[in-house]
Amino acid sequence: MTTVNNPPADSPPRVGGWTRFVTTRPRLSLLAALVLTVLAVLAGSGVADKLGSGGWEDPGAESTYATEALEREFPDSQPNLILLVDSGRASVDDPAVAAEATRLAERLSGEKGVVGVGSYWGGKAPALRAEDGHEALIAARITGDEKTMGETLDRIAPSYRGTQGTLEVKIGGIVAVRHEMQTIIQEDLTRAEIIALPVTLVLLVMVFGSAVAALLPLGVGIVAILGTNAVLGALTEFTDVSIFAMNLTTALGLGLAIDYALFIVRRFREEVSGGADPTTAIGTTLRTAGRTVLFSALTVAVSLAAMLVFPQYFLRSFAYAGIAVVLLAAAAALILLPAALVLLGHRVDSLDVRRLFRRGRAKSTGPGTEGSTQNGTEGGTEGRTEDRTAWGRTATLVMRRAPFFALGTTAVLVLLGLPFLGVKFGTADDRQLPSSAESHVVQQHIRDGFPGTPGGGLEVLAEGRATQAEYAAYKERVAALPDVARVDGPLVKGDTAYFTVQPEGEAVDEAGQRLVGDLRATEAPFDTKVTGAAAVLVDSKKAIGDQLPLAAAFITVVTLLLVFLLTGSVLIPIQAVLLNALSLTAMFGAVVWVFQDGHLSGLLGFTSSGSIETTLPVLMFCVAFGLSMDYGVFLLSRIKEEYDHTGDHERSVRLGLQRTGGLITAAAVILAVVMVAIGTSRVTNTKMLGLGIALAVLMDAMVVRSLLVPAIMRLTGKATWWAPGPLRRFHQRFGLSEADPTPAKQPDRETNPDTDSERDAVGARG
């Protein structure tokens, strides 16, 4: 007969090495964190100035090679600086206007770092003259990397912008667009933080009840954000990083820090209210909720890491920032927060500002805590705890009519996602900026008032020795292609030449993209490479399409494995992946309906370009999927804990939703507030990212977790927890759980209402 030596119920919990260090040396832990944070501030200062504003193109693509070759051999073929010259009431062909504009172009050509200056007045090219005859263009190229180009633009712009004699000059071009975008993003990010921090603090006070407890998540978030800025600053020494990544740093730093702190503080208060001293309570908290937080951080990091497989540094930058901020938020929640809680002890509930409004009502711990009054748990009998609470009633209703809620919710989510079937992919351009931005004004004038598509054509790089007759024959074949309006060139330099091909329609519409394929398929006696806006888009779409299966497989496989380690079930990981993906349909449908089709553009203050930038759906999927898994892990871990204790499937689902529903909803609302603050940006891509993810988070927490998950789990019944023998043994050895490592109770807990009632009452006091 085998004897099982279980520890007595009243024995102190085992304390691991790190937990022992945090609990016995909390002041040293906080001091070390403070020193590291100060160093992070120093290392991350000025990081925004080191970040780039591009990164949408594939660095290994044909179009990228051709662009770099043309920049090197024919710098005037790739202008990135445009001066829009307005002659007022006079014609641009007026001699006085021409003389003034010619002097302006000559002065620009003498600027350091500026090459390839050309103008309408230098060659009378029709494409550089507005159709009304009152505006014309001066084009040039600023050399160097993004930082150098920005510095050059800052230096020369004041000398050319505004009134120049009888002319009025505005500055545009891709350099001006990107530089203005970088400046606006920095300003908007500061404004978003000013909006988000106080609103978040107010919401946290409402959730926790205590002003002291409410400040803890903000501290965790600030540490994560500052640490990530230092990481990004270090990465700029080795690789390109997009400035857009800073928005994700702020949003995830605050959002996830609040999520993790909610669960850590909730469990700590529960343990303390149950009679444990602060040190013991922290040990139990880290062993239970701490495990779930670490596990959740891994699932979010996995989703973000999938963006590393794509070649565009725009996407890779979000992986760098996201992984760093997630891991730092988890580390701060598992290190700094426990140390602070040990020092605070019962004082974590100090400054309970809700006393002003309770007027004699019993003290509660807020909707973010397990078993709180707002969740309806006030102690008493089980029937009161489970059936007379908002989340208990919701769970009971959903599971009683599981087929209706499962089919109905799925149908609604699919319907909301239907607009995405009409998605059109494009490139980011000046229309990302507000309509009042100078570079946007310049490009809009060019689109509306100039013939053809100045700067929007295709360039064909021809490499290899060829005769004039061979160049002429190739030019004729290109001119005969469909959708070609005009072919200019060639301009020859040694064994290299280039042609400019003007499409009949928009630069990056479907016809323009087809033309890229036709040009690449056209026979030539020399090597040809095609570039231009449409070619960059075609190559970007191909790069994403090639890597998308790998990214999806990576997210799916690793998520399945992690959720299996959490639950020990074969079916739950599959459900988690499918339901998480389904929860994103509303976001994708809204992105197309609003930002592509232009609905609500006046209300939200943006200009629709009629397309969605190619990388944005990938980015939004990875971020939103990771956040959905974050909430899914919190819910599933609590359901699993209840099931391990009772073996009662339906009751476990009901209690899991009851005890985390308010918490997840509170966390989702706070994260949505942060994302909406990011969504107030004047840059359309940032606005789309912030508002889209806010919608996805709310739909996931309030619809999928509240309705679809319990309905599906009710339909699958106890089969939900099935796993074949080998996988069960694997989970027993390597699996993770929020529950304490105690044996499951086989009898149904409903047969012992006194015990359950006592436990629920403890939860209510916590």
Side-chain angles (χ1 to χ4, degrees):
M1 178 176 172
T2 304
T3 302
V4 179
N5 294 318
N6 291 322
D10 57 351
S11 64
R14 290 171 295 175
V15 179
W18 180 251
T19 303
R20 186 183 302 112
F21 177 79
V22 171
T23 54
T24 58
R25 297 178 177 83
R27 289 182 175 82
L28 180 59
S29 300
L30 292 176
L31 179 60
L34 177 62
V35 172
L36 291 175
T37 302
V38 171
L39 293 177
V41 171
L42 297 176
S45 61
V47 65
D49 296 330
K50 303 177 184 178
L51 304 180
S53 53
W56 292 284
E57 65 279 353
D58 175 8
E62 174 182 318
S63 57
T64 304
Y65 173 86
T67 298
E68 293 173 350
L70 289 172
E71 289 174 357
R72 183 175 60 251
E73 301 294 336
F74 306 98
D76 56 341
S77 71
Q78 298 286 298
N80 54 20
L81 176 67
I82 300 292
L83 302 188
L84 177 67
V85 179
D86 187 343
S87 58
R89 295 183 178 180
S91 168
V92 294
D93 294 313
D94 184 277
V97 171
E100 187 74 43
T102 299
R103 286 194 295 271
L104 189 67
E106 290 174 351
R107 180 155 58 92
L108 181 62
S109 64
E111 297 285 356
K112 182 180 179 181
V114 179
V115 298
V117 178
S119 72
Y120 165 71
W121 298 274
K124 299 295 181 181
L128 300 181
R129 180 182 183 274
E131 293 173 345
D132 65 3
H134 296 291
E135 291 178 332
L137 303 178
I138 298 174
R141 178 164 190 84
I142 298 179
T143 59
D145 56 22
E146 283 191 25
K147 182 179 179 181
T148 302
M149 287 189 290
E151 292 172 347
T152 301
L153 182 65
D154 281 337
R155 174 171 52 83
I156 68 175
S159 301
Y160 295 88
R161 177 183 290 120
T163 302
Q164 303 291 324
T166 61
L167 308 177
E168 193 70 25
V169 179
K170 291 184 175 66
I171 297 178
I174 188 61
V175 168
V177 169
R178 291 185 173 181
H179 190 62
E180 201 162 5
M181 189 179 296
Q182 189 173 32
T183 301
I184 289 176
I185 286 175
Q186 292 182 51
E187 294 172 354
D188 289 350
L189 186 58
T190 300
R191 188 182 70 252
E193 291 171 346
I194 292 173
I195 294 172
L197 286 174
V199 175
T200 298
L201 181 58
V202 170
L203 291 174
L204 285 171
V205 170
M206 293 173 61
V207 170
F208 282 112
S210 160
V212 172
L215 288 170
L216 296 176
L218 286 183
V220 172
I222 290 171
V223 169
I225 292 170
L226 294 175
T228 303
N229 286 342
V231 171
L232 293 180
L235 285 173
T236 59
E237 302 296 326
F238 307 98
T239 187
D240 293 319
V241 180
S242 172
I243 191 169
F244 285 94
M246 291 191 69
N247 295 292
L248 187 67
T249 297
T250 298
L252 289 186
L254 285 176
L256 291 178
I258 290 166
D259 285 358
Y260 300 156
L262 278 171
F263 277 82
I264 294 292
V265 175
R266 175 212 69 175
R267 193 67 183 230
F268 174 77
R269 292 166 114 184
E270 178 185 346
E271 297 299 325
V272 169
S273 67
D277 64 88
T279 301
T280 303
I282 280 295
T284 304
T285 298
L286 292 180
R287 201 170 56 255
T288 54
R291 248 184 248 162
T292 301
V293 165
L294 180 59
F295 190 86
S296 174
L298 291 176
T299 61
V300 178
V302 163
S303 295
L304 297 172
M307 288 185 285
L308 292 173
V309 307
F310 296 100
Q312 293 93 335
Y313 86 73
F314 174 81
L315 286 175
R316 298 172 69 89
S317 299
F318 283 92
Y320 303 146
I323 293 171
V325 77
V326 168
L327 297 182
L328 286 171
L334 297 175
I335 298 171
L336 302 186
L337 190 55
L341 290 173
V342 168
L343 292 176
L344 288 172
H346 294 278
R347 288 172 296 178
V348 72
D349 292 326
S350 300
L351 301 180
D352 187 353
V353 296
R354 293 183 308 174
R355 290 177 181 173
L356 301 174
F357 308 100
R358 275 202 289 267
R359 296 187 179 277
R361 285 183 295 164
K363 181 180 178 181
S364 82
T365 56
T369 58
E370 178 184 304
S372 67
T373 301
Q374 284 75 358
N375 282 345
T377 303
E378 301 173 7
T381 66
E382 276 190 44
R384 180 179 181 86
T385 300
E386 295 184 26
D387 298 329
R388 297 182 60 185
T389 67
W391 290 105
R393 288 194 300 269
T394 298
T396 300
L397 174 64
V398 169
M399 289 193 290
R400 185 178 299 140
R401 295 177 173 82
F404 170 79
F405 281 100
L407 293 175
T409 305
T410 300
V412 170
L413 291 173
V414 171
L415 182 65
L416 291 174
L418 287 179
F420 192 71
L421 296 177
V423 66
K424 298 177 182 178
F425 294 109
T427 56
D429 58 22
D430 60 282
R431 285 169 289 192
Q432 293 286 312
L433 296 170
S435 57
S436 59
E438 183 183 28
S439 56
H440 184 172
V441 171
V442 170
Q443 299 305 125
Q444 195 62 47
H445 273 247
I446 293 173
R447 273 190 294 271
D448 295 341
F450 285 74
T453 53
L458 295 168
E459 288 86 27
V460 180
L461 174 70
E463 294 181 308
R465 187 173 298 278
T467 64
Q468 288 298 323
E470 289 173 324
Y471 284 135
Y474 175 75
K475 182 175 181 179
E476 290 180 4
R477 286 195 291 273
V478 170
L481 292 174
D483 304 312
V484 172
R486 188 178 75 253
V487 182
D488 298 323
L491 185 62
V492 182
K493 182 179 180 181
D495 293 341
T496 306
Y498 83 93
F499 300 82
T500 300
V501 182
Q502 291 291 342
E504 290 183 342
E506 290 288 334
V508 294
D509 61 11
E510 292 183 3
Q513 295 177 58
R514 285 196 303 271
L515 181 56
V516 172
D518 292 340
L519 286 172
R520 289 173 174 173
T522 301
E523 292 185 5
F526 35 73
D527 291 333
T528 61
K529 302 285 190 300
V530 181
T531 188
V536 170
L537 175 58
V538 168
D539 291 340
S540 180
K541 288 167 64 176
K542 183 179 185 302
I544 289 175
D546 289 345
Q547 298 301 320
L548 197 57
L550 177 60
F554 175 76
I555 290 177
T556 301
V557 171
V558 179
T559 299
L560 290 173
L561 176 61
L562 289 175
V563 177
F564 172 77
L565 290 175
L566 177 69
T567 64
S569 163
V570 170
L571 187 58
I572 289 179
I574 298 173
Q575 289 178 355
V577 170
L578 294 178
L579 296 185
N580 279 7
L582 188 61
S583 72
L584 308 183
T585 53
M587 175 186 72
F588 285 123
V591 160
V592 171
W593 190 78
V594 175
F595 291 96
Q596 175 182 294
D597 299 341
H599 298 101
L600 307 180
S601 59
L603 177 64
L604 297 177
F606 69 92
T607 301
S608 172
S609 63
S611 62
I612 302 298
E613 203 283 317
T614 317
T615 58
L616 256 294
V618 176
L619 167 62
M620 296 177 75
F621 175 84
C622 291
V623 174
F625 188 90
L627 293 174
S628 296
M629 280 304 306
D630 186 45
Y631 298 134
V633 165
F634 289 139
L635 175 59
L636 291 173
S637 65
R638 196 54 194 255
I639 294 174
K640 177 65 163 58
E641 180 178 0
E642 295 296 335
Y643 186 75
D644 286 344
H645 279 97
T646 69
D648 186 330
H649 173 70
E650 290 186 27
R651 189 172 187 277
S652 299
V653 175
R654 183 168 61 248
L655 279 175
L657 179 60
Q658 175 189 316
R659 298 189 177 204
T660 61
L663 197 64
I664 290 175
T665 301
V669 168
I670 293 172
L671 178 56
V673 166
V674 177
M675 296 307 304
V676 168
I678 297 295
T680 62
S681 173
R682 292 166 289 171
V683 176
T684 303
N685 272 358
T686 305
K687 187 186 298 291
M688 188 189 311
L689 178 67
L691 298 182
I693 292 179
L695 176 61
V697 165
L698 293 176
M699 290 295 293
D700 181 75
M702 297 182 177
V703 177
V704 174
R705 303 297 152 206
S706 303
L707 303 177
L708 197 53
V709 169
I712 294 296
M713 295 188 78
R714 168 64 178 82
L715 292 175
T716 54
K718 281 204 170 185
T720 301
W721 306 100
W722 177 84
L727 289 180
R728 280 201 307 273
R729 290 189 289 273
F730 179 85
H731 179 263
Q732 288 169 0
R733 183 172 182 181
F734 300 105
L736 300 173
S737 172
E738 183 171 313
D740 281 328
T742 56
K745 300 177 183 178
Q746 295 306 318
D748 187 351
R749 286 173 60 194
E750 292 185 6
T751 63
N752 190 1
D754 294 336
T755 303
D756 285 339
S757 179
E758 180 181 350
R759 173 175 171 156
D760 290 333
V762 170
R765 290 193 301 272

